C-alpha cells in the first residue's frame, strides 16, 4: 500500500513510530524490573528442581531460572509496549511526515478525511 500525503499527494512519506519506540522501551524496562522482582521466587523454584541434581544443580537451576525469567519478562514487555505504541502511533499521533511539504498526518485520520471528501 502506497501512502500519499493528504495535502500535496506526494509518495515520499516518512514513518516516525515515535510512540512505538517509547512504549517499547518503557515496556521492556518495566517488565525487566518486574522480572527481577519475581526472579527470587523463580530462583527458589529452579533451585528446588536443581536439588535433584545435587548442590551444584541447585545453584545452576536457580541462576538459569533467574536469567530466563528476566529475559522472558523483558521480551514480553517490549512486545506489549511495542504493540501499544503501534496503536498509539496509528490512531492518536501523526505518525507520518511528508518529505516534500513537511505535513504530519496519521493514516487513520487521513482515511477519514479522504472518505469524507468522497461524499
Ligand atoms: Zn505533502
Amino acid at each position: 500500500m502506497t501512502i500519499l500525503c493528504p495535502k500535496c499527494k506526494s509518495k515520499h512519506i516518512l514513518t516516525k513510530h515515535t510512540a512505538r519506540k517509547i512504549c517499547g522501551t518503557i515496556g521492556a524496562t518495566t517488565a525487566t524490573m518486574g522480572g527481577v522482582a519475581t526472579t527470587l521466587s523463580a530462583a527458589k523454584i529452579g533451585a528446588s528442581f536443581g536439588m535433584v541434581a545435587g548442590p551444584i544443580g541447585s545453584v545452576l537451576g536457580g541462576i538459569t531460572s533467574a536469567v530466563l525469567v528476566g529475559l522472558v519478562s523483558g521480551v514480553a514487555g517490549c512486545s506489549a509496549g511495542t504493540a501499544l505504541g503501534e496503536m498509539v502511533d496509528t490512531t492518536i499521533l501523526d505518525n507520518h511526515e511528508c518529505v516534500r511539504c513537511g505535513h504530519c498526518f496519521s493514516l487513520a485520520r487521513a482515511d477519514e478525511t479522504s472518505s469524507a471528501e468522497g461524499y
Side-chain angles (χ1 to χ4, degrees), residues 42-62:
K44 281 179 192 166
I45 295 165
S48 51
F49 276 117
M51 283 300 243
V52 180
I56 296 165
S58 174
V59 171
L60 286 177

Side-chain angles (χ1 to χ4, degrees), residues 7-29:
K7 208 171 178 182
C8 70
K9 307 295 176 197
S10 168
K11 287 179 186 173
H12 302 284
I13 306 298
L14 289 176
T15 309
K16 295 193 279 189
H17 294 304
T18 311
R20 197 172 83 172
K21 286 171 194 162
I22 295 168
C23 290
T25 308
I26 292 171
T29 311

Side-chain angles (χ1 to χ4, degrees), residues 28 31-36 38-39 42 64-77:
T32 305
M33 289 193 303
V36 168
T38 54
T39 291
T64 308
S65 301
V67 169
L68 279 176
V69 167
L71 280 177
V72 169
S73 302
V75 169

Side-chain angles (χ1 to χ4, degrees), residues 5-10 12-13 98-103 105:
C5 171
K7 208 171 178 182
C8 70
K9 307 295 176 197
S10 168
H12 302 284
I13 306 298
C98 175
V99 177
R100 199 165 133 198
C101 71
H103 178 62
F105 60 97

